[in-house]
């Protein structure tokens, strides 16, 4: 389901070139539509994350998927920029109903011996959805109008919605027996034991973890989105190589979560200690980018891919693993929403900030910003580790 959501949300990015080349809207105009999705999705992560702890997560996920499919399909019939912005913004809200409730289902309804592998494997949903969307869009636009890209995206989401509906219906009797998901026999996160909700955030060190969440979000999407532009401007590579990177990087990035797993286990399955080491390791390729100058473009691509995969390893640790630690307080979804909200603030900064800085000061300054951000991510991850270790190991 999450892969289908990525398929749907990537439709607009894949259709932009066709919309611009057709003279339908200007670049500045179509940027408004993308921004509407981004703002609504980020805000929705916070609200829907908290809501996901209070309602049936299965129903919430199904509602989000169905409405997202309808919005995506409706984009094909939008006859004005305003209509497109409203529909795509609404799509952002509905798509924000998926991740946090899904993570709650993983943490509370999946058996513990299967849970870790399940949370790790969901990292594949991003590249699968993104790559399939770009491939399908390329095929459709070459033969039909860009509008059919949205029809295809909506159809994929609705098809997966139907399959999930049948799946959930089949296991409903088993799920209803879970005392943690659908019954009231669980600790309320609003109470947070004796600490209260905000006390729980302080006790766990999460208030400090929000800083690495923001910084890694800024670098995760910022570096990935700007890599094709950077190598095109700095190394005059072909358009085909730039397009290949757009598709290949998400695949390479997804394996960052798998690559960091041995380190995670070696460090006692401590998310923040592992995040600190991972962020520090990511400084190596970024420093090489800064000092090696005009190296062969394939070496530059390798260093950038190493950097972005490290960011996705951080994403796995902070966005996927950290919220599950709060399942015993029944607030996995809420914590996930908070962390995602700060990560997407970082994404917003990178979308506009890195482009503006590169235009005014050059890509060298952008790389320096990446290095500083990576160093701060590592520092704050280690700073939060004392409280986090006490929290996850139940040390008094």
């Amino acid at each position: 389901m999450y892969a289908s959501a990525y398929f749907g949300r990537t439709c607009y990015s894949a259709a932009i070139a066709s919309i611009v080349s057709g003279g339908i809207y200007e670049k500045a105009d179509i940027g408004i539509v993308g921004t509407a999705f981004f703002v609504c999705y980020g805000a929705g992560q916070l609200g829907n994350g908290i809501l996901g702890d209070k309602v049936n997560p299965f129903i919430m996920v199904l509602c989000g998927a169905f409405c997202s499919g309808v919005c995506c399909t409706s984009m094909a019939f939008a006859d004005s920029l305003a209509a497109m912005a409203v529909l795509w913004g609404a799509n952002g809200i509905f798509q924000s109903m998926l991740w946090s409730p899904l993570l709650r289902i993983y943490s509370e309804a999946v058996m513990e011996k299967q849970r870790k592998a399940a949370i790790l494997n969901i990292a594949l949903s991003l590249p699968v959805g993104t790559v399939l969307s770009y491939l399908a869009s390329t095929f459709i636009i070459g033969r039909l109008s860009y509008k059919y890209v949205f029809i295809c995206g909506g159809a994929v989401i609705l098809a997966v919605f139907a399959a999930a509906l049948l799946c959930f219906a089949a296991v409903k009797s088993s799920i209803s027996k879970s005392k943690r998901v659908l019954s009231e026999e669980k600790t309320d996160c609003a109470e947070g034991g004796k600490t209260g909700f905000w006390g729980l955030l302080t006790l766990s060190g999460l208030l400090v973890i929000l800083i690495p969440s923001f910084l890694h979000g800024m670098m995760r999407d910022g570096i990935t989105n700007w890599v094709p532009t950077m190598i095109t401007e700095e190394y005059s590579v072909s358009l085909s190589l730039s397009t290949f990177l757009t598709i290949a990087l998400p695949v390479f990035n997804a394996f960052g979560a798998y690559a960091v797993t041995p380190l995670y286990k070696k460090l006692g399955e401590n998310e923040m200690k592992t995040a600190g080491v991972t962020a520090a390791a990511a400084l190596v390729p970024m420093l090489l980018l800064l000092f090696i100058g005009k190296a062969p473009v394939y070496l530059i691509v390798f260093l950038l891919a190493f950097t972005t995969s490290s960011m996705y390893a951080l994403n796995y640790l902070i966005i996927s693993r950290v919220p599950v630690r709060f399942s015993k307080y029944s607030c996995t979804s809420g914590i996930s929403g908070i962390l995602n909200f700060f990560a997407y603030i970082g994404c917003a900064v990178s979308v506009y900030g890195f482009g503006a800085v590169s235009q005014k000061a050059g890509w060298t300054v952008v790389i320096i910003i990446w290095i500083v951000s990576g160093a701060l991510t590592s520092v704050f991850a280690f700073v939060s580790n004392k409280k986090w270790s006490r929290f996850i190991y139940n040390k008094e």
Side-chain angles (χ1 to χ4, degrees):
M1 177 170 283
Y2 205 63
S4 74
Y6 257 94
F7 189 108
R9 79 170 65 174
T10 310
C11 285
Y12 185 72
S13 299
I16 284 179
S18 179
I19 297 173
V20 173
S21 63
I24 303 171
Y25 298 110
E26 298 293 332
K27 288 183 179 180
D29 295 331
I30 62 174
I32 296 174
V33 179
T35 301
F37 177 91
F38 188 84
V39 171
C40 292
Y41 184 80
Q45 281 286 348
L46 187 61
N48 287 320
I50 296 173
L51 181 63
D53 286 318
K54 302 181 181 300
V55 302
N56 187 312
F58 294 92
I59 294 177
M60 188 171 178
V61 165
L62 288 172
C63 288
F66 177 78
C67 294
S68 175
V70 171
C71 286
C72 192
T73 304
S74 300
M75 283 285 285
F77 306 98
D79 57 0
S80 69
L81 191 68
M84 292 177 68
V86 170
L87 284 171
W88 211 235
N91 189 33
I93 294 175
F94 293 127
Q95 288 223 351
S96 70
M97 296 172 66
L98 299 179
W99 172 254
S100 296
L102 277 174
L103 203 59
R104 180 188 168 193
I105 292 172
Y106 272 47
S107 65
E108 297 184 357
V110 177
M111 294 173 61
E112 186 174 358
K113 63 181 181 181
Q114 298 172 322
R115 187 182 307 149
K116 292 179 182 177
I119 295 173
L120 175 61
N121 291 334
I122 200 175
L124 291 175
S125 61
L126 189 155
V128 169
T130 301
V131 172
L132 289 180
S133 178
Y134 273 108
L135 292 177
S137 299
T138 301
F139 177 83
I140 291 171
I141 291 174
R143 293 160 176 79
L144 302 167
S145 165
Y146 76 89
K147 293 180 179 291
Y148 287 92
V149 173
F150 294 108
I151 294 176
C152 177
V156 168
I157 297 175
L158 291 174
V160 175
F161 157 79
L165 181 62
L166 294 174
C167 179
F168 290 167
V171 301
K172 182 179 179 181
S173 59
S174 298
I175 295 298
S176 65
K177 297 176 183 178
S178 172
K179 294 182 179 181
R180 301 182 66 191
V181 179
L182 300 179
S183 76
E184 296 180 356
E185 299 180 23
K186 53 190 178 182
T187 303
D188 189 352
C189 189
E191 298 171 3
K194 297 180 180 179
T195 63
F197 180 73
W198 292 108
L200 185 63
L201 300 188
T202 304
L203 179 69
S204 64
L206 193 77
L207 292 179
V208 179
I209 296 174
L210 294 177
I211 300 175
S213 182
F214 165 81
L215 291 171
H216 104 277
M218 180 177 70
M219 292 187 292
R220 180 195 67 193
D221 284 19
I223 298 177
T224 301
N225 289 337
W226 286 107
V227 160
T229 303
M230 175 183 174
I231 66 168
T232 299
E233 293 181 357
E234 292 290 292
Y235 294 91
S236 301
V237 300
S238 64
L239 181 61
S240 60
L241 177 58
S242 179
T243 303
F244 171 76
L245 284 175
T246 302
I247 298 176
L249 273 180
V251 177
F252 193 88
N253 294 341
F255 290 98
Y258 292 90
V260 81
T261 299
L263 177 64
Y264 176 61
K265 293 180 178 178
K266 186 174 182 179
L267 295 178
E269 299 191 347
N270 184 315
E271 290 79 10
M272 299 321 297
K273 185 183 293 185
T274 310
V277 174
T278 302
L283 294 176
V284 175
M286 289 190 284
L287 286 169
L288 289 174
L289 284 170
L290 183 63
F291 292 113
I292 61 176
K294 293 290 183 179
V297 66
Y298 292 103
L299 175 59
I300 299 298
V301 170
F302 172 78
L303 294 174
L304 288 168
F306 188 101
T307 303
T308 56
S309 65
S310 299
M311 295 306 109
Y312 276 82
L314 290 172
N315 187 73
Y316 164 68
L317 294 167
I318 297 173
I319 302 300
S320 298
R321 293 296 321 166
V322 167
V324 175
R325 295 287 191 176
F326 293 83
S327 60
K328 63 182 178 181
Y329 296 104
S330 302
C331 54
T332 296
S333 181
I335 297 299
S336 174
I338 293 172
L339 287 169
N340 259 304
F341 175 72
F342 276 85
Y344 273 90
I345 292 176
C347 294
V349 171
S350 69
V351 168
Y352 299 102
F354 290 168
V357 172
S358 67
Q359 185 173 340
K360 294 183 179 180
W363 287 106
T364 299
V365 176
V366 174
I367 294 174
I368 293 174
I369 294 175
W370 294 349
I371 293 171
V372 173
S373 299
L376 289 175
T377 300
S378 181
V379 168
F380 281 104
F382 284 123
V383 167
S384 68
N385 182 59
K386 183 176 181 180
K387 287 187 175 182
W388 184 249
S389 297
R390 188 181 296 119
F391 176 73
I392 64 175
Y393 299 135
N394 294 317
K395 294 179 181 179
E396 298 297 334

